[in-house]
Short mmCIF file of all heavy atoms in Angstrom, two decimals:
data_model
loop_
_atom_site.label_atom_id
_atom_site.label_comp_id
_atom_site.label_asym_id
_atom_site.label_seq_id
_atom_site.Cartn_x
_atom_site.Cartn_y
_atom_site.Cartn_z
N SER I 225 -0.12 -43.29 -93.16
CA SER I 225 0.14 -43.36 -91.72
C SER I 225 -0.56 -44.53 -91.05
O SER I 225 -0.32 -44.80 -89.86
CB SER I 225 -0.27 -42.04 -91.04
OG SER I 225 -1.67 -41.89 -91.00
N GLU I 226 -1.39 -45.28 -91.79
CA GLU I 226 -1.88 -46.55 -91.25
C GLU I 226 -0.73 -47.53 -91.08
O GLU I 226 -0.75 -48.38 -90.19
CB GLU I 226 -2.92 -47.15 -92.20
CG GLU I 226 -4.24 -46.41 -92.24
CD GLU I 226 -5.20 -47.01 -93.24
OE1 GLU I 226 -4.77 -47.61 -94.24
OE2 GLU I 226 -6.43 -46.86 -93.03
N ALA I 227 0.29 -47.40 -91.94
CA ALA I 227 1.41 -48.33 -91.93
C ALA I 227 2.69 -47.71 -91.38
O ALA I 227 3.49 -48.38 -90.73
CB ALA I 227 1.68 -48.85 -93.34
N LEU I 228 2.90 -46.42 -91.67
CA LEU I 228 4.18 -45.77 -91.39
C LEU I 228 4.00 -44.63 -90.40
O LEU I 228 3.02 -43.89 -90.47
CB LEU I 228 4.76 -45.18 -92.68
CG LEU I 228 4.84 -46.06 -93.91
CD1 LEU I 228 5.23 -45.23 -95.12
CD2 LEU I 228 5.85 -47.18 -93.69
N THR I 229 4.97 -44.47 -89.53
CA THR I 229 5.05 -43.25 -88.74
C THR I 229 5.69 -42.19 -89.63
O THR I 229 6.83 -42.35 -90.09
CB THR I 229 5.89 -43.45 -87.47
OG1 THR I 229 5.26 -44.45 -86.66
CG2 THR I 229 5.99 -42.16 -86.68
N LEU I 230 4.96 -41.13 -89.91
CA LEU I 230 5.49 -40.03 -90.71
C LEU I 230 6.29 -39.10 -89.79
O LEU I 230 5.82 -38.74 -88.71
CB LEU I 230 4.36 -39.28 -91.41
CG LEU I 230 3.58 -40.13 -92.43
CD1 LEU I 230 2.41 -39.32 -93.00
CD2 LEU I 230 4.48 -40.64 -93.54
N GLU I 231 7.48 -38.75 -90.24
CA GLU I 231 8.40 -37.96 -89.43
C GLU I 231 8.68 -36.62 -90.09
O GLU I 231 8.61 -36.49 -91.32
CB GLU I 231 9.74 -38.71 -89.28
CG GLU I 231 9.65 -40.10 -88.68
CD GLU I 231 9.58 -40.09 -87.16
OE1 GLU I 231 9.60 -38.98 -86.57
OE2 GLU I 231 9.52 -41.19 -86.58
N PRO I 232 9.05 -35.59 -89.31
CA PRO I 232 9.44 -34.32 -89.90
C PRO I 232 10.55 -34.51 -90.93
O PRO I 232 11.53 -35.20 -90.67
CB PRO I 232 9.92 -33.50 -88.70
CG PRO I 232 9.19 -34.07 -87.53
CD PRO I 232 9.07 -35.54 -87.83
N GLY I 233 10.36 -33.92 -92.09
CA GLY I 233 11.34 -34.04 -93.17
C GLY I 233 11.06 -35.16 -94.15
O GLY I 233 11.69 -35.22 -95.20
N ASP I 234 10.10 -36.03 -93.85
CA ASP I 234 9.68 -37.02 -94.85
C ASP I 234 9.01 -36.30 -96.01
O ASP I 234 8.37 -35.25 -95.83
CB ASP I 234 8.69 -38.03 -94.24
CG ASP I 234 9.35 -39.03 -93.31
OD1 ASP I 234 10.58 -39.10 -93.27
OD2 ASP I 234 8.59 -39.74 -92.60
N VAL I 235 9.15 -36.87 -97.20
CA VAL I 235 8.62 -36.24 -98.42
C VAL I 235 7.65 -37.21 -99.09
O VAL I 235 7.98 -38.39 -99.29
CB VAL I 235 9.75 -35.88 -99.40
CG1 VAL I 235 9.19 -35.23 -100.67
CG2 VAL I 235 10.76 -34.94 -98.73
N ILE I 236 6.46 -36.71 -99.42
CA ILE I 236 5.49 -37.49 -100.19
C ILE I 236 5.43 -36.87 -101.58
O ILE I 236 5.03 -35.72 -101.75
CB ILE I 236 4.10 -37.47 -99.53
CG1 ILE I 236 4.16 -38.05 -98.11
CG2 ILE I 236 3.11 -38.27 -100.38
CD1 ILE I 236 2.86 -37.91 -97.33
N VAL I 237 5.86 -37.64 -102.58
CA VAL I 237 5.84 -37.20 -103.97
C VAL I 237 4.55 -37.73 -104.58
O VAL I 237 4.36 -38.94 -104.69
CB VAL I 237 7.09 -37.70 -104.72
CG1 VAL I 237 7.11 -37.16 -106.14
CG2 VAL I 237 8.36 -37.29 -103.98
N THR I 238 3.64 -36.82 -104.97
CA THR I 238 2.23 -37.17 -105.08
C THR I 238 1.78 -37.74 -106.42
O THR I 238 0.60 -38.02 -106.61
CB THR I 238 1.35 -35.94 -104.76
OG1 THR I 238 1.67 -34.88 -105.68
CG2 THR I 238 1.58 -35.47 -103.33
N GLY I 239 2.70 -37.92 -107.38
CA GLY I 239 2.31 -38.56 -108.64
C GLY I 239 2.29 -37.57 -109.80
O GLY I 239 2.22 -36.36 -109.61
N THR I 240 2.32 -38.11 -111.00
CA THR I 240 2.38 -37.28 -112.20
C THR I 240 1.12 -37.44 -113.03
O THR I 240 0.38 -38.41 -112.90
CB THR I 240 3.63 -37.61 -113.04
OG1 THR I 240 3.94 -36.51 -113.90
CG2 THR I 240 3.45 -38.88 -113.88
N CYS I 241 0.91 -36.45 -113.91
CA CYS I 241 -0.26 -36.45 -114.80
C CYS I 241 0.13 -37.02 -116.16
O CYS I 241 1.27 -37.45 -116.37
CB CYS I 241 -0.81 -35.03 -114.93
SG CYS I 241 0.42 -33.83 -115.52
N SER I 242 -0.79 -37.00 -117.09
CA SER I 242 -0.53 -37.56 -118.42
C SER I 242 0.46 -36.69 -119.19
O SER I 242 0.73 -35.55 -118.83
CB SER I 242 -1.83 -37.69 -119.21
OG SER I 242 -2.36 -36.40 -119.48
N GLY I 243 0.98 -37.27 -120.27
CA GLY I 243 1.91 -36.55 -121.13
C GLY I 243 3.34 -37.03 -121.02
O GLY I 243 4.23 -36.48 -121.67
N VAL I 244 3.59 -38.08 -120.21
CA VAL I 244 4.96 -38.59 -120.07
C VAL I 244 5.45 -39.12 -121.40
O VAL I 244 4.66 -39.49 -122.30
CB VAL I 244 5.06 -39.67 -118.97
CG1 VAL I 244 4.71 -39.08 -117.61
CG2 VAL I 244 4.18 -40.87 -119.28
N GLY I 245 6.77 -39.18 -121.52
CA GLY I 245 7.38 -39.54 -122.80
C GLY I 245 7.01 -40.92 -123.30
O GLY I 245 6.80 -41.12 -124.50
N ILE I 246 6.93 -41.90 -122.39
CA ILE I 246 6.67 -43.28 -122.82
C ILE I 246 5.25 -43.43 -123.34
O ILE I 246 4.96 -44.35 -124.11
CB ILE I 246 6.94 -44.27 -121.66
CG1 ILE I 246 7.07 -45.69 -122.22
CG2 ILE I 246 5.87 -44.18 -120.59
CD1 ILE I 246 7.54 -46.71 -121.20
N GLY I 247 4.34 -42.53 -122.97
CA GLY I 247 2.96 -42.62 -123.41
C GLY I 247 2.71 -41.97 -124.77
O GLY I 247 1.59 -42.01 -125.27
N ARG I 248 3.75 -41.37 -125.35
CA ARG I 248 3.58 -40.67 -126.63
C ARG I 248 3.92 -41.58 -127.80
O ARG I 248 4.64 -42.55 -127.65
CB ARG I 248 4.49 -39.43 -126.65
CG ARG I 248 4.06 -38.38 -125.62
CD ARG I 248 5.03 -37.21 -125.53
NE ARG I 248 4.46 -36.19 -124.67
CZ ARG I 248 3.69 -35.19 -125.10
NH1 ARG I 248 3.43 -35.06 -126.39
NH2 ARG I 248 3.20 -34.32 -124.25
N LYS I 249 3.40 -41.22 -128.95
CA LYS I 249 3.69 -41.98 -130.18
C LYS I 249 4.24 -41.01 -131.21
O LYS I 249 3.49 -40.17 -131.71
CB LYS I 249 2.43 -42.66 -130.68
CG LYS I 249 1.94 -43.78 -129.76
CD LYS I 249 0.71 -44.45 -130.34
CE LYS I 249 0.26 -45.64 -129.51
NZ LYS I 249 0.11 -45.38 -128.09
N PRO I 250 5.53 -41.07 -131.54
CA PRO I 250 6.53 -41.97 -130.94
C PRO I 250 6.90 -41.49 -129.54
O PRO I 250 6.63 -40.34 -129.19
CB PRO I 250 7.72 -41.83 -131.91
CG PRO I 250 7.60 -40.43 -132.43
CD PRO I 250 6.12 -40.18 -132.57
#
Side-chain angles (χ1 to χ4, degrees):
S225 71
E226 289 177 333
L228 310 171
T229 299
L230 297 176
E231 303 278 1
D234 286 348
V235 180
I236 301 173
V237 184
T238 59
T240 201
C241 57
S242 66
V244 297
I246 197 172
R248 294 174 172 270
K249 292 182 175 51

